[in-house]
Amino acid sequence: QVQLVESGGGLVQAGGSLRLSCAASGRAFSSLIMGWFRQAPGKEREFVAVTNWPGGRTDYADSVKGRFTVSRDTAKNTVYLQMNSLKPEDTAIYYCAARQTFVLHSDPASYRYWGQGTQVTVAS
């Protein structure tokens, strides 16, 4: 079992930055992938970024490439999503998720463990 807790959301002006954190606890984290997803009102949950644990590989949605960076601190069992140059269309609830695999997945249905989500609102 893996428990995930997100933090760091909030209200920011367009062009601003936020850093989301996802603290993981529970079972050993070898061969885990940690994904970030988001869901805006009335829309389906969509892939944002993913990294493997303990790290080295990443993948991003085209809509965030060059603006968002996913990283991890293995000593703190925490994954981060640094979001720069934020746009109003980035407004959503952001979730981190995990599953045990070596393959980087972008389909939310393939993830077993989920955090509770954190709201990100970008004002124009």
Side-chain angles (χ1 to χ4, degrees), residues 94-105:
Y94 283 70
Y95 300 89
C96 69
R99 68 164 286 179
Q100 188 174 15
T101 180
F102 291 103
V103 179
L104 300 183
H105 287 272

Side-chain angles (χ1 to χ4, degrees), residues 12-94:
V12 65
Q13 295 292 316
S17 298
L18 281 174
R19 189 179 77 160
L20 305 183
S21 300
C22 175
S25 61
R27 64 168 295 158
F29 303 132
S30 62
S31 69
L32 273 184
I33 60 169
M34 305 289 290
W36 284 98
F37 297 83
R38 64 187 183 187
Q39 188 166 19
K43 294 187 177 182
E44 294 185 352
R45 193 166 296 188
E46 66 173 2
F47 167 72
V48 175
V50 62
T51 186
N52 64 314
W53 196 281
R57 293 181 292 138
T58 59
D59 193 18
Y60 297 91
D62 289 343
S63 59
V64 306
K65 280 182 181 176
R67 299 188 299 124
F68 291 11
T69 302
V70 61
S71 62
R72 77 247 98 209
D73 184 332
T74 54
K76 296 182 178 179
N77 289 344
T78 299
V79 175
Y80 303 98
L81 184 68
Q82 177 68 43
M83 305 185 296
N84 299 327
S85 302
L86 283 162
K87 305 174 181 179
E89 52 263 43
D90 294 318
T91 295
I93 300 174
Y94 283 70

